mmCIF file of all heavy atoms in Angstrom:
data_model
loop_
_atom_site.group_PDB
_atom_site.id
_atom_site.type_symbol
_atom_site.label_atom_id
_atom_site.label_comp_id
_atom_site.label_asym_id
_atom_site.label_seq_id
_atom_site.Cartn_x
_atom_site.Cartn_y
_atom_site.Cartn_z
ATOM 1 N N GLN A 1775 -4.340 -8.233 -14.748
ATOM 2 C CA GLN A 1775 -5.485 -9.065 -15.100
ATOM 3 C C GLN A 1775 -6.481 -9.206 -13.951
ATOM 4 O O GLN A 1775 -7.568 -9.742 -14.146
ATOM 5 C CB GLN A 1775 -5.005 -10.463 -15.530
ATOM 6 C CG GLN A 1775 -4.194 -10.458 -16.815
ATOM 7 C CD GLN A 1775 -3.611 -11.820 -17.144
ATOM 8 O OE1 GLN A 1775 -3.689 -12.741 -16.333
ATOM 9 N NE2 GLN A 1775 -3.022 -11.945 -18.314
ATOM 10 N N PHE A 1776 -6.096 -8.717 -12.770
ATOM 11 C CA PHE A 1776 -6.993 -8.811 -11.619
ATOM 12 C C PHE A 1776 -8.207 -7.921 -11.831
ATOM 13 O O PHE A 1776 -8.092 -6.749 -12.197
ATOM 14 C CB PHE A 1776 -6.256 -8.398 -10.340
ATOM 15 C CG PHE A 1776 -7.139 -8.336 -9.126
ATOM 16 C CD1 PHE A 1776 -7.598 -9.497 -8.527
ATOM 17 C CD2 PHE A 1776 -7.525 -7.112 -8.590
ATOM 18 C CE1 PHE A 1776 -8.412 -9.443 -7.405
ATOM 19 C CE2 PHE A 1776 -8.333 -7.053 -7.482
ATOM 20 C CZ PHE A 1776 -8.781 -8.224 -6.888
ATOM 21 N N ASP A 1777 -9.379 -8.471 -11.628
ATOM 22 C CA ASP A 1777 -10.634 -7.754 -11.825
ATOM 23 C C ASP A 1777 -11.105 -7.198 -10.481
ATOM 24 O O ASP A 1777 -11.411 -7.951 -9.560
ATOM 25 C CB ASP A 1777 -11.692 -8.691 -12.425
ATOM 26 C CG ASP A 1777 -12.955 -7.952 -12.831
ATOM 27 O OD1 ASP A 1777 -12.990 -6.714 -12.672
ATOM 28 O OD2 ASP A 1777 -13.901 -8.611 -13.304
ATOM 29 N N GLU A 1778 -11.144 -5.863 -10.368
ATOM 30 C CA GLU A 1778 -11.582 -5.224 -9.126
ATOM 31 C C GLU A 1778 -13.036 -5.580 -8.798
ATOM 32 O O GLU A 1778 -13.450 -5.537 -7.640
ATOM 33 C CB GLU A 1778 -11.448 -3.702 -9.252
ATOM 34 C CG GLU A 1778 -10.028 -3.205 -9.448
ATOM 35 C CD GLU A 1778 -9.268 -3.047 -8.142
ATOM 36 O OE1 GLU A 1778 -9.859 -3.348 -7.087
ATOM 37 O OE2 GLU A 1778 -8.107 -2.635 -8.181
ATOM 38 N N ARG A 1779 -13.811 -5.932 -9.841
ATOM 39 C CA ARG A 1779 -15.219 -6.264 -9.605
ATOM 40 C C ARG A 1779 -15.393 -7.611 -8.918
ATOM 41 O O ARG A 1779 -16.504 -7.951 -8.492
ATOM 42 C CB ARG A 1779 -15.967 -6.269 -10.934
ATOM 43 C CG ARG A 1779 -16.080 -4.890 -11.593
ATOM 44 C CD ARG A 1779 -16.689 -4.978 -12.967
ATOM 45 N NE ARG A 1779 -15.868 -5.797 -13.858
ATOM 46 C CZ ARG A 1779 -16.199 -6.080 -15.116
ATOM 47 N NH1 ARG A 1779 -17.330 -5.634 -15.616
ATOM 48 N NH2 ARG A 1779 -15.404 -6.824 -15.873
ATOM 49 N N GLU A 1780 -14.318 -8.384 -8.781
ATOM 50 C CA GLU A 1780 -14.404 -9.665 -8.074
ATOM 51 C C GLU A 1780 -14.833 -9.447 -6.627
ATOM 52 O O GLU A 1780 -15.588 -10.242 -6.058
ATOM 53 C CB GLU A 1780 -13.048 -10.376 -8.127
ATOM 54 C CG GLU A 1780 -13.027 -11.739 -7.443
ATOM 55 C CD GLU A 1780 -13.926 -12.749 -8.140
ATOM 56 O OE1 GLU A 1780 -14.154 -12.613 -9.361
ATOM 57 O OE2 GLU A 1780 -14.395 -13.672 -7.451
ATOM 58 N N ILE A 1781 -14.364 -8.353 -6.025
ATOM 59 C CA ILE A 1781 -14.763 -8.046 -4.650
ATOM 60 C C ILE A 1781 -16.257 -7.752 -4.591
ATOM 61 O O ILE A 1781 -16.950 -8.163 -3.652
ATOM 62 C CB ILE A 1781 -13.947 -6.845 -4.124
ATOM 63 C CG1 ILE A 1781 -12.449 -7.191 -4.128
ATOM 64 C CG2 ILE A 1781 -14.398 -6.445 -2.730
ATOM 65 C CD1 ILE A 1781 -11.567 -6.064 -3.683
ATOM 66 N N ASP A 1782 -16.769 -7.063 -5.621
ATOM 67 C CA ASP A 1782 -18.209 -6.778 -5.658
ATOM 68 C C ASP A 1782 -19.024 -8.062 -5.776
ATOM 69 O O ASP A 1782 -20.091 -8.193 -5.157
ATOM 70 C CB ASP A 1782 -18.524 -5.848 -6.833
ATOM 71 C CG ASP A 1782 -17.846 -4.496 -6.703
ATOM 72 O OD1 ASP A 1782 -17.622 -4.065 -5.559
ATOM 73 O OD2 ASP A 1782 -17.527 -3.882 -7.736
ATOM 74 N N ARG A 1783 -18.529 -9.019 -6.577
ATOM 75 C CA ARG A 1783 -19.252 -10.278 -6.741
ATOM 76 C C ARG A 1783 -19.277 -11.073 -5.433
ATOM 77 O O ARG A 1783 -20.300 -11.664 -5.070
ATOM 78 C CB ARG A 1783 -18.619 -11.106 -7.862
ATOM 79 C CG ARG A 1783 -18.959 -10.602 -9.257
ATOM 80 C CD ARG A 1783 -18.549 -11.595 -10.315
ATOM 81 N NE ARG A 1783 -17.114 -11.620 -10.528
ATOM 82 C CZ ARG A 1783 -16.480 -10.843 -11.413
ATOM 83 N NH1 ARG A 1783 -17.157 -10.000 -12.160
ATOM 84 N NH2 ARG A 1783 -15.178 -10.927 -11.558
ATOM 85 N N VAL A 1784 -18.149 -11.084 -4.734
ATOM 86 C CA VAL A 1784 -18.099 -11.793 -3.450
ATOM 87 C C VAL A 1784 -19.050 -11.144 -2.451
ATOM 88 O O VAL A 1784 -19.780 -11.828 -1.715
ATOM 89 C CB VAL A 1784 -16.652 -11.811 -2.909
ATOM 90 C CG1 VAL A 1784 -16.621 -12.359 -1.487
ATOM 91 C CG2 VAL A 1784 -15.751 -12.649 -3.809
ATOM 92 N N GLU A 1785 -19.068 -9.822 -2.433
ATOM 93 C CA GLU A 1785 -19.976 -9.120 -1.520
ATOM 94 C C GLU A 1785 -21.436 -9.422 -1.875
ATOM 95 O O GLU A 1785 -22.278 -9.599 -0.983
ATOM 96 C CB GLU A 1785 -19.728 -7.616 -1.582
ATOM 97 C CG GLU A 1785 -20.600 -6.833 -0.614
ATOM 98 C CD GLU A 1785 -20.319 -5.349 -0.644
ATOM 99 O OE1 GLU A 1785 -19.454 -4.926 -1.445
ATOM 100 O OE2 GLU A 1785 -20.967 -4.607 0.119
ATOM 101 N N ALA A 1786 -21.736 -9.488 -3.186
ATOM 102 C CA ALA A 1786 -23.110 -9.798 -3.602
ATOM 103 C C ALA A 1786 -23.528 -11.191 -3.143
ATOM 104 O O ALA A 1786 -24.672 -11.399 -2.720
ATOM 105 C CB ALA A 1786 -23.222 -9.677 -5.119
ATOM 106 N N ILE A 1787 -22.593 -12.147 -3.203
ATOM 107 C CA ILE A 1787 -22.901 -13.517 -2.755
ATOM 108 C C ILE A 1787 -23.221 -13.525 -1.268
ATOM 109 O O ILE A 1787 -24.215 -14.116 -0.826
ATOM 110 C CB ILE A 1787 -21.724 -14.458 -3.075
ATOM 111 C CG1 ILE A 1787 -21.552 -14.620 -4.591
ATOM 112 C CG2 ILE A 1787 -21.933 -15.823 -2.421
ATOM 113 C CD1 ILE A 1787 -20.317 -15.407 -4.982
ATOM 114 N N VAL A 1788 -22.390 -12.842 -0.463
ATOM 115 C CA VAL A 1788 -22.596 -12.850 0.988
ATOM 116 C C VAL A 1788 -23.892 -12.122 1.349
ATOM 117 O O VAL A 1788 -24.646 -12.572 2.216
ATOM 118 C CB VAL A 1788 -21.390 -12.211 1.702
ATOM 119 C CG1 VAL A 1788 -21.613 -12.162 3.210
ATOM 120 C CG2 VAL A 1788 -20.118 -12.994 1.401
ATOM 121 N N ARG A 1789 -24.172 -11.022 0.672
ATOM 122 C CA ARG A 1789 -25.381 -10.260 0.987
ATOM 123 C C ARG A 1789 -26.655 -10.972 0.517
ATOM 124 O O ARG A 1789 -27.748 -10.611 0.942
ATOM 125 C CB ARG A 1789 -25.304 -8.870 0.366
ATOM 126 C CG ARG A 1789 -24.246 -7.979 1.003
ATOM 127 C CD ARG A 1789 -24.431 -6.528 0.663
ATOM 128 N NE ARG A 1789 -23.403 -5.702 1.273
ATOM 129 C CZ ARG A 1789 -23.410 -5.270 2.526
ATOM 130 N NH1 ARG A 1789 -24.416 -5.609 3.322
ATOM 131 N NH2 ARG A 1789 -22.439 -4.516 2.996
ATOM 132 N N SER A 1790 -26.519 -11.963 -0.373
ATOM 133 C CA SER A 1790 -27.680 -12.742 -0.806
ATOM 134 C C SER A 1790 -28.042 -13.830 0.193
ATOM 135 O O SER A 1790 -29.048 -14.520 0.025
ATOM 136 C CB SER A 1790 -27.409 -13.372 -2.183
ATOM 137 O OG SER A 1790 -27.228 -12.372 -3.160
ATOM 138 N N MET A 1791 -27.226 -13.999 1.222
ATOM 139 C CA MET A 1791 -27.514 -14.988 2.262
ATOM 140 C C MET A 1791 -28.378 -14.365 3.352
ATOM 141 O O MET A 1791 -28.366 -13.148 3.556
ATOM 142 C CB MET A 1791 -26.210 -15.503 2.887
ATOM 143 C CG MET A 1791 -25.250 -16.156 1.900
ATOM 144 S SD MET A 1791 -23.702 -16.627 2.712
ATOM 145 C CE MET A 1791 -22.754 -17.227 1.323
ATOM 146 N N THR A 1792 -29.104 -15.201 4.058
ATOM 147 C CA THR A 1792 -29.865 -14.732 5.209
ATOM 148 C C THR A 1792 -28.909 -14.505 6.385
ATOM 149 O O THR A 1792 -27.794 -15.050 6.401
ATOM 150 C CB THR A 1792 -30.924 -15.764 5.615
ATOM 151 O OG1 THR A 1792 -30.246 -16.963 6.051
ATOM 152 C CG2 THR A 1792 -31.838 -16.089 4.448
ATOM 153 N N PRO A 1793 -29.299 -13.694 7.370
ATOM 154 C CA PRO A 1793 -28.423 -13.487 8.544
ATOM 155 C C PRO A 1793 -28.023 -14.790 9.225
ATOM 156 O O PRO A 1793 -26.886 -14.931 9.692
ATOM 157 C CB PRO A 1793 -29.281 -12.603 9.458
ATOM 158 C CG PRO A 1793 -30.189 -11.870 8.525
ATOM 159 C CD PRO A 1793 -30.485 -12.831 7.422
ATOM 160 N N HIS A 1794 -28.950 -15.755 9.264
ATOM 161 C CA HIS A 1794 -28.628 -17.030 9.904
ATOM 162 C C HIS A 1794 -27.597 -17.803 9.086
ATOM 163 O O HIS A 1794 -26.709 -18.457 9.646
ATOM 164 C CB HIS A 1794 -29.900 -17.855 10.077
ATOM 165 C CG HIS A 1794 -29.687 -19.143 10.828
ATOM 166 N ND1 HIS A 1794 -28.990 -19.200 12.014
ATOM 167 C CD2 HIS A 1794 -30.076 -20.421 10.553
ATOM 168 C CE1 HIS A 1794 -28.946 -20.444 12.455
ATOM 169 N NE2 HIS A 1794 -29.590 -21.212 11.575
ATOM 170 N N GLU A 1795 -27.696 -17.738 7.767
ATOM 171 C CA GLU A 1795 -26.729 -18.435 6.911
ATOM 172 C C GLU A 1795 -25.331 -17.837 7.029
ATOM 173 O O GLU A 1795 -24.333 -18.552 6.949
ATOM 174 C CB GLU A 1795 -27.195 -18.374 5.451
ATOM 175 C CG GLU A 1795 -28.413 -19.241 5.166
ATOM 176 C CD GLU A 1795 -28.964 -19.010 3.776
ATOM 177 O OE1 GLU A 1795 -28.623 -17.968 3.154
ATOM 178 O OE2 GLU A 1795 -29.754 -19.848 3.312
ATOM 179 N N ARG A 1796 -25.255 -16.544 7.246
ATOM 180 C CA ARG A 1796 -23.935 -15.914 7.395
ATOM 181 C C ARG A 1796 -23.257 -16.338 8.696
ATOM 182 O O ARG A 1796 -22.040 -16.457 8.757
ATOM 183 C CB ARG A 1796 -24.075 -14.387 7.368
ATOM 184 C CG ARG A 1796 -24.604 -13.847 6.060
ATOM 185 C CD ARG A 1796 -24.762 -12.340 6.147
ATOM 186 N NE ARG A 1796 -25.643 -11.829 5.106
ATOM 187 C CZ ARG A 1796 -26.055 -10.576 5.019
ATOM 188 N NH1 ARG A 1796 -25.670 -9.693 5.934
ATOM 189 N NH2 ARG A 1796 -26.861 -10.192 4.043
ATOM 190 N N VAL A 1797 -24.073 -16.568 9.720
ATOM 191 C CA VAL A 1797 -23.505 -16.977 11.013
ATOM 192 C C VAL A 1797 -23.224 -18.474 11.040
ATOM 193 O O VAL A 1797 -22.236 -18.920 11.630
ATOM 194 C CB VAL A 1797 -24.464 -16.576 12.155
ATOM 195 C CG1 VAL A 1797 -23.932 -17.066 13.498
ATOM 196 C CG2 VAL A 1797 -24.661 -15.070 12.175
#
Side-chain angles (χ1 to χ4, degrees):
Q1775 294 174 352
F1776 174 73
D1777 188 2
E1778 297 276 1
R1779 293 174 299 177
E1780 181 65 27
I1781 299 178
D1782 297 331
R1783 284 191 286 270
V1784 172
E1785 182 178 1
I1787 293 173
V1788 178
R1789 292 196 181 278
S1790 297
M1791 301 176 184
T1792 64
H1794 185 48
E1795 289 172 343
R1796 297 178 198 173
V1797 177

